[in-house]
Amino acid sequence: MNDTTTTPGDVAVVAKLSFLDRFLAVWIIAAMALGLVLGRLIPSLDDALDSVKVGSVSLPIAIGLLLMMYPVLAKVRYTETSRVTGDRKLLIASLVLNWVLGPALMFALAWLLLPDLPEYRTGLIIVGLARCIAMVLIWNDLSCGDREAAAVLVAINSVFQIVAFAALGWFYLQLLPGWLGLATTSAEFSIGAIAISVLVFLGIPLVAGYLTRTIGEKTRGRDWYESSLLPKIGPVALYGLLFTIVMLFALQGDAITSQPLDVVRIALPLLAYFIIMFGGSFALGYQLRLGYAKTATLAFTAAGNNFELAIAVAIGTFGVTSGQALAGVVGPLIEVPVLVALVYASLWAKRRFYPDTIS
């Protein structure tokens, strides 16, 4: 069968996205523009946001961050985390890619491409530590990946982020740079601040998401929960993300408009990261003979990042107007079009390397 064979997964990939997800990059750009306008029209906005705080984060932004995370964690099938342990190759490969190679690659790219921009560099390293638990389910479905394996790997990543995020932050932001003779992060902070941010902005929505799924499935069943309830609460994550972006850009408008090349420089290591992680993970899955569906799942779960958590940690640790927060905000703008392109690349690889799977 030649490379021009068409499969159901190839047809109108972008059209399979919901209206909100299909134009996510457009909404993000619009939110950025609105934030810049508000920053110009309301000079006292920063004082208003700081008037009521949750810890070091203004209350409106804290609410936006929690709204970003809750629907994502309500999608996870927590009861199925044990099912992936039967495929040791997939499990070990995913853990190594997500928690060893991924953070190390982002660390290397951030130092290589942003040696003179320490705040953005730190922000990207935080992004590298926040493994994907959200949009990866969409990219996995569009690429005809293994839906159940993706759900399990997402659940495992959720647990690992609670347990390992703060420790990895200490390693990559303080310990490893010291070993290598590099400067540590650009601002004084405690690893405890990162741990608190993770516990608040991941822990609270994780408990809420777990309880929502548990109670919903027990009372109405999984079919109702996933076909009726999730579609209703799912868009809340996007609304929370867009609201947070509006606030961030309202507060960082001057820095952004005066240094637009900085945004481009932040985008370059992100672009390299997505391509290298996806290509390397797909090649690994092929070598391990996981089959196309699990290989695609492995590649997308390794390539994506949890920008919601990265933004929350950067704001909670360094402040809403920090360069670290801006680096997190640029992430989704780059991720969406790149991973849509990688969906097409995955379907091409399916035709090229897994012709027996084409029906």
Side-chain angles (χ1 to χ4, degrees):
M1 196 167 290
N2 60 42
D3 288 349
T4 60
T5 304
T6 301
T7 72
D10 298 60
V11 179
V13 168
V14 176
K16 293 183 182 180
L17 291 166
S18 69
F19 177 76
L20 290 174
D21 291 329
R22 189 185 314 166
F23 297 102
L24 181 56
V26 175
W27 311 140
I28 291 173
I29 292 173
M32 291 176 175
L34 177 59
L36 293 175
V37 171
L38 288 176
R40 294 288 187 181
L41 296 179
I42 312 175
S44 60
L45 183 60
D46 53 347
D47 294 331
L49 289 175
D50 281 338
S51 60
V52 182
K53 289 187 175 182
V54 176
S56 60
V57 181
S58 69
L59 179 60
I61 293 178
I63 292 173
L65 295 172
L66 292 172
L67 290 177
M68 283 195 302
M69 297 299 297
Y70 164 65
V72 170
L73 292 164
K75 293 180 180 179
V76 177
R77 294 178 175 179
Y78 296 95
T79 59
E80 297 180 2
T81 55
S82 62
R83 293 181 58 182
V84 78
T85 57
D87 192 335
R88 296 296 178 87
K89 291 191 295 184
L90 176 63
L91 175 61
I92 294 173
S94 179
L95 289 175
V96 170
L97 287 167
N98 275 286
W99 297 101
V100 179
L101 297 181
L105 175 62
M106 189 69 88
F107 175 88
L109 289 171
W111 273 99
L112 179 65
L113 299 177
L114 300 174
D116 57 328
L117 297 172
E119 290 190 356
Y120 300 151
R121 184 177 65 233
T122 298
L124 287 182
I125 292 172
I126 291 174
V127 168
L129 300 178
R131 311 313 301 165
C132 192
I133 61 172
M135 291 288 287
V136 66
L137 298 175
I138 296 174
W139 313 130
N140 183 71
D141 275 356
L142 292 176
S143 64
C144 303
D146 187 317
R147 183 174 296 175
E148 298 307 316
V152 171
L153 294 179
V154 161
I156 291 173
N157 277 346
S158 300
V159 174
F160 261 76
Q161 285 186 119
I162 286 285
V163 175
F165 193 102
L168 287 172
W170 167 73
F171 178 78
Y172 281 104
L173 295 177
Q174 292 187 342
L175 186 62
L176 184 57
W179 285 351
L180 298 176
L182 303 170
T184 54
T185 185
S186 57
E188 292 298 324
F189 72 98
S190 68
I191 294 303
I194 287 184
I196 291 172
S197 294
V198 173
L199 287 173
V200 171
F201 295 112
L202 180 58
I204 291 175
L206 178 62
V207 171
Y210 174 80
L211 292 176
T212 301
R213 177 172 278 278
T214 301
I215 295 172
E217 289 191 356
K218 284 185 177 179
T219 56
R220 301 291 296 272
R222 174 169 289 184
D223 288 342
W224 172 85
Y225 182 85
E226 296 190 345
S227 63
S228 297
L229 183 60
L230 283 185
K232 293 178 181 178
I233 65 177
V236 173
L238 175 58
Y239 302 148
L241 173 63
L242 294 178
F243 174 78
T244 304
I245 289 174
V246 169
M247 294 295 100
L248 286 172
F249 273 73
L251 296 173
Q252 300 207 49
D254 290 339
I256 296 167
T257 54
S258 62
Q259 297 175 308
L261 289 180
D262 284 0
V263 175
V264 175
R265 291 192 61 186
I266 293 170
L268 290 177
L270 285 168
L271 179 62
Y273 173 87
F274 291 135
I275 294 173
I276 294 172
M277 281 299 293
F278 180 86
S281 302
F282 201 99
L284 177 61
Y286 181 78
Q287 291 298 320
L288 293 175
R289 302 181 185 276
L290 295 179
Y292 170 76
K294 288 184 177 179
T295 295
T297 297
L298 179 69
F300 279 103
T301 52
N305 290 90
N306 183 357
F307 286 101
E308 296 91 341
L309 178 61
I311 293 169
V313 169
I315 292 174
T317 306
F318 298 100
V320 70
T321 60
S322 65
Q324 291 89 342
L326 177 60
V329 170
V330 173
L333 178 64
I334 306 302
E335 182 185 41
V336 174
V338 170
L339 288 185
V340 167
L342 290 177
V343 168
Y344 283 104
S346 182
L347 293 171
W348 172 86
K350 178 183 180 182
R351 297 193 300 269
R352 177 66 176 82
F353 299 106
Y354 299 92
D356 293 341
T357 65
I358 298 174
S359 58

